[in-house]
Amino acid sequence: KGERLKEYNIIYINGGNPFRLLYFMKKSGADLILRSLSKQNTILIGASAGAVILGPSIDVVQHFSPELNEIGLNDYTALSLTDIAIFPHYDREDVFKEDTGKSIEDRLSEFEEWNNISVTRLKDDQYILINR
């Protein structure tokens, strides 16, 4: 199944549930194929959850939206095609509401401090280009 990825020069990884996306990428072997293709002339595009899984982990998703982990994923290690941790939808307070009233920025700052990591914040109209 994942072998078909080798036929393409550009691969677009859409959003959705990051836990399910990561689980099925690993289960199908697509993660290994994408790692291999990333070292070639293949362009990988990740949107939303697709961008998050290209980084080192989806820990930030577990921090913000643990209810999405319907499949009980325990290993949040992502594809590590970049060492940049992405937080998409940074401008969408409506998506990431919390009972305590803390802003997305407040919660992201806490996450960064607790995990000793820097997270790149992307609004819905922004992107980041990484050349390797």
Side-chain angles (χ1 to χ4, degrees), residues 5 9 13 22 35 51 55 63 65 67 76 105 115 119 122 127:
L5 292 171
N9 296 334
I13 305 167
L22 184 59
R35 280 191 187 107
H63 180 75
S65 304
E67 71 279 1
Y76 307 133
E105 180 56 35
N115 294 281
V119 177
L122 291 179
Y127 66 91

Side-chain angles (χ1 to χ4, degrees), residues 12-18 21 45-53 88-89:
Y12 179 85
I13 305 167
N14 201 11
N17 184 315
L21 181 58
I45 302 167
S48 189
V52 176
I53 68 156
H89 314 299

Side-chain angles (χ1 to χ4, degrees), residues 24-39:
F24 285 108
M25 282 241 173
K26 289 180 177 181
K27 183 176 180 177
S28 69
D31 61 329
L32 301 175
I33 293 168
L34 290 174
R35 280 191 187 107
S36 173
L37 291 174
S38 74
K39 296 173 185 161

Side-chain angles (χ1 to χ4, degrees), residues 107-119 121:
R107 291 180 284 157
L108 265 176
S109 294
E110 286 177 350
F111 175 81
E112 288 175 317
E113 185 177 328
W114 295 339
N115 294 281
N116 194 28
I117 188 172
S118 177
V119 177
R121 293 133 168 88

